[in-house]
């Protein structure tokens, strides 16, 4: 490790305060989370009796201090509603899990604190700064810029191997063996795993593609957005993650169905799919044999990996059902060491099965609602014919990315605070009708579809 690690981690909150002092608060929040997650080291400091400190804490502490010192009036304007209940349950439930498992109030408070920092604060920033059309468009552009910044870094590591984190911070952040796929390298840059990088590039590609197709924006820095979308999509494929490539293809197909057929059927199926998967797999009523057959047909070399994960899920879900409501808690209690299995050979890869084992149905339902409810509300409250409009296009792209992230979380556990920010912004905008005034103004109506939306918004009662 290098001395740059503590300088970067402990200096980041101070840098964020400078950003709040010289930039708009909304821009400072974006730079704080994107900058931290894209470039700070994958390292953390652990202190006895105190919470750990890593890149997530650095970003969240920085934005909290910035809001309090430079924009405290905005906190007083926040109005929470019942649609914010999932984030509240998600952040509080670890405390009850620990207490019910006899792990103590301190353990519960520590776990709840970690979820507040990782999910609660980014979600709060989304509610504060991105709960309107202007904020959501800014967030969509920031996602594209974040992906574009990673393109040259990914291409470098694809050619030279994952070396940037080693050169800058002195160590490789994951198993070196998992960085080699299909006869070449897949990049990790400054994230926790190559899978996280690939999913991030998929997210940026989806947003760029839809903003280009919908005409929401022509370009960035003089570069046509079509070229940017092509560069992001190509880099995603070169990241050599089958899951991310599949999600990019599925997302593009969903967008094409919306644009060409003006139907939301494919998007609706995408939203329902992870819910059904988690429910059927948790209850043990589906062995997912069809998925293994599909994987064998599409990518035979990866079928064994998927089979290994799904078989592990069967064991983990069986163990989780012994404490179905609040789960087993942390400290590897979600792994069935007392059931005669070799714990070291049981993969706990999927975010959903980790959550179900540790926090039970309460945690799983709350985090699934946190991710999917904002997208569902947007899909329900705007007609599919408007999803490809210039006005709604960027917002729809962000909602679709949340759905794709939930699908990815069925097999991977690659946290990224930007998704929590998106969820907070979308939930705030859709739950209180913050999108309605912009569409209702005649000057903003640019098409027959926009007129339809304005009429529907004007007569719709939002709860």
């Amino acid at each position: 490790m290098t001395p740059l690690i503590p300088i970067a981690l402990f200096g980041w909150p101070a840098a964020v305060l400078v950003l709040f002092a010289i930039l708009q608060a909304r821009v400072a929040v974006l730079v704080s989370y994107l900058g931290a997650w894209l470039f700070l080291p994958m390292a953390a400091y652990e202190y006895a009796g105190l919470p750990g400190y890593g890149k997530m804490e650095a970003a969240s502490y920085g934005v909290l201090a910035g809001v309090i010192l430079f924009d405290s009036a905005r906190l007083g304007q926040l109005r929470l509603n019942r649609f914010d209940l999932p984030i509240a349950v998600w952040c509080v439930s670890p405390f009850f899990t620990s207490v019910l498992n006899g792990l103590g109030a301190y353990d519960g408070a520590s776990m709840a604190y970690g979820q507040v920092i990782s999910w609660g604060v980014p979600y709060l920033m989304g509610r504060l700064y991105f709960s309107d059309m202007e904020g959501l468009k800014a967030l969509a552009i920031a996602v594209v810029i974040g992906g574009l910044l990673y393109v040259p870094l990914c291409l470098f590591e694809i050619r030279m191997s994952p070396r940037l984190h080693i050169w800058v911070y002195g160590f490789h952040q994951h198993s070196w063996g998992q960085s080699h796929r299909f006869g070449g390298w897949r990049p990790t840059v400054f994230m926790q795993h190559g899978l996280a990088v690939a999913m991030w590039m998929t997210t940026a590609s989806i947003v760029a593609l839809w903003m280009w197709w919908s005409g929401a924006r022509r370009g960035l820095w003089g570069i046509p957005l079509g070229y940017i979308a092509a560069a992001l999509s190509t880099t995603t494929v070169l990241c050599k993650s089958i899951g991310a490539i599949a999600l990019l293809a599925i997302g593009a197909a969903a967008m094409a169905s919306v644009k060409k057929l003006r139907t939301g059927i494919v998007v609706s199926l995408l939203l329902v799919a992870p819910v059904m998967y988690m429910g059927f797999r948790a209850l043990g009523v589906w062995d997912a044999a069809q998925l293994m057959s599909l994987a064998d047909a599409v990518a035979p070399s990866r079928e064994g990996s998927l089979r290994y994960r799904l078989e592990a899920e069967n064991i983990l879900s069986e163990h989780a059902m012994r404490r179905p409501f609040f789960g087993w808690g942390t400290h590897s209690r979600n792994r069935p060491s007392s059931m005669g299995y070799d714990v070291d050979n049981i993969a706990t890869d999927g975010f959903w099965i980790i959550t179900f084992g540790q926090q039970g149905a309460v945690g799983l339902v709350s985090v699934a609602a946190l991710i999917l409810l904002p997208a569902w509300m947007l899909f329900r409250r705007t007609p599919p014919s408007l999803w490809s409009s210039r006005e709604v296009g960027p917002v729809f792209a962000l909602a679709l990315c949340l759905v794709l992230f939930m699908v990815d979380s069925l097999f991977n556990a690659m946290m990224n605070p930007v998704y929590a920010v998106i969820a907070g912004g979308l939930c705030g905008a859709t739950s209180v009708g913050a999108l309605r005034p912009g569409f209702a103004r005649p000057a903003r109506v640019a098409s027959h579809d926009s007129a339809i939306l304005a009429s529907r918004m004007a007569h719709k009662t939002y709860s």
Side-chain angles (χ1 to χ4, degrees):
M1 295 189 181
T2 68
L4 188 57
I5 292 176
I7 293 174
L9 288 177
F10 291 101
W12 189 252
V16 173
L17 291 181
V18 174
L19 292 174
F20 268 89
I22 63 177
L23 299 173
Q24 290 183 347
R26 175 180 287 167
V27 178
V29 170
L30 287 172
V31 174
S32 176
Y33 276 115
L34 284 173
W37 206 250
L38 296 181
F39 299 108
L40 289 187
M42 287 304 307
Y45 289 88
E46 302 290 341
Y47 302 98
L50 295 175
Y53 183 85
K55 62 164 58 180
M56 182 64 77
E57 288 77 15
S60 290
Y61 293 164
V63 297
L64 278 176
V67 172
I68 292 172
L69 293 176
F70 294 96
D71 200 18
S72 58
R74 188 175 292 266
L75 288 171
Q77 299 171 2
L78 180 64
R79 296 294 182 268
L80 301 178
N81 55 58
R82 67 179 184 275
F83 295 103
D84 297 302
L85 185 61
I87 186 65
V89 175
W90 173 240
C91 289
V92 172
S93 64
F95 178 83
F96 296 99
T97 293
S98 293
V99 171
L100 292 173
N101 278 281
L103 300 176
Y106 177 82
D107 181 85
S110 177
M111 295 302 103
Y113 172 83
Q115 259 164 230
V116 168
I117 293 298
S118 299
W119 291 86
V121 176
Y123 180 93
L124 174 63
M125 294 303 119
R127 289 286 273 108
L128 288 175
Y129 293 104
F130 305 101
S131 289
D132 54 29
M133 180 60 73
E134 181 183 354
L136 289 168
K137 286 183 177 179
L139 183 52
I141 294 170
V143 169
V144 174
I145 292 174
L148 197 58
L149 291 175
Y150 251 40
V151 167
L153 305 182
C154 288
L155 295 178
F156 174 83
E157 290 201 340
I158 290 167
R159 178 64 180 86
M160 302 301 295
S161 78
R163 297 185 178 274
L164 292 174
H165 201 280
I166 299 174
W167 288 352
V168 177
Y169 296 116
F171 70 99
H172 185 57
Q173 61 270 49
H174 205 275
S175 169
W176 189 261
Q178 294 193 21
S179 298
H180 199 266
R181 284 289 183 273
F182 306 111
W185 300 103
R186 65 180 180 189
T188 56
V189 197
F190 300 107
M191 291 191 184
Q192 64 269 51
H193 196 282
L195 295 174
V197 175
M199 189 60 204
W200 172 246
M201 297 308 297
T202 291
T203 299
S205 299
I206 290 293
V207 176
L209 280 169
W210 196 240
M211 290 181 69
W212 171 51
W213 285 353
S214 66
R217 192 176 180 90
R218 294 183 177 179
L220 288 173
W221 306 317
I223 306 173
L225 199 58
Y227 293 164
I228 292 176
L232 291 170
S233 301
T234 301
T235 304
T236 301
V237 174
L238 293 175
C239 285
K240 302 179 181 69
S241 170
I242 294 295
I245 295 171
L247 289 177
L248 175 59
I250 292 170
M255 292 188 297
S257 71
V258 170
K259 189 170 181 64
K260 299 298 183 181
L261 305 177
R262 300 213 167 187
T263 176
I265 293 177
V266 176
V267 175
S268 299
L269 290 175
L270 263 180
L271 192 148
V272 172
V275 177
M276 296 181 64
Y277 179 95
M278 291 183 290
F280 291 156
R281 295 288 288 154
L283 295 174
V285 299
W286 183 44
D287 62 4
Q290 296 85 350
L291 278 182
M292 288 183 274
S293 299
L294 179 62
D296 187 38
V298 175
S301 62
R302 306 308 301 161
E303 188 271 341
S305 174
L306 179 61
R307 180 181 297 275
Y308 172 65
R309 292 187 184 199
L310 293 176
E311 290 176 349
E313 273 188 10
N314 293 335
I315 299 171
L316 293 167
S317 60
E318 178 186 352
H319 181 58
M321 286 300 291
R322 294 171 177 255
R323 289 184 179 270
F325 298 109
F326 284 92
W328 289 92
T330 54
H331 311 295
S332 297
R333 290 166 54 87
N334 60 312
R335 299 167 69 86
S337 58
S338 62
M339 296 176 62
Y341 298 107
D342 183 357
V343 176
D344 292 334
N345 289 325
I346 299 177
T348 50
D349 291 326
F351 177 61
W352 87 269
I353 192 62
I354 295 173
T355 300
F356 185 43
Q358 292 184 347
Q359 295 179 233
V362 173
L364 183 60
V365 171
S366 63
V367 75
L370 162 63
I371 297 170
L372 294 177
L373 181 60
W376 177 79
M377 289 194 297
L378 176 71
F379 300 156
R380 175 175 173 268
R381 294 181 174 185
T382 57
S385 59
L386 268 295
W387 297 349
S388 59
S389 67
R390 294 181 61 185
E391 296 86 356
V392 183
V395 185
F396 168 77
L398 293 176
L400 181 59
C401 287
L402 281 184
V403 176
L404 295 177
F405 172 65
M406 189 70 246
V407 175
D408 181 68
S409 296
L410 299 178
F411 306 102
N412 301 304
M414 300 296 166
M415 171 57 185
N416 186 322
V418 175
Y419 297 113
V421 176
I422 294 172
L426 277 174
C427 187
T430 56
S431 64
V432 299
L435 304 181
R436 178 173 55 184
F439 290 120
R441 286 195 295 266
R444 297 288 295 275
V445 177
S447 67
H448 174 67
D449 286 337
S450 296
I452 294 174
L453 180 62
S455 176
R456 293 189 182 184
M457 291 283 188
H459 293 87
K460 190 171 185 65
T461 300
Y462 287 85
S463 55

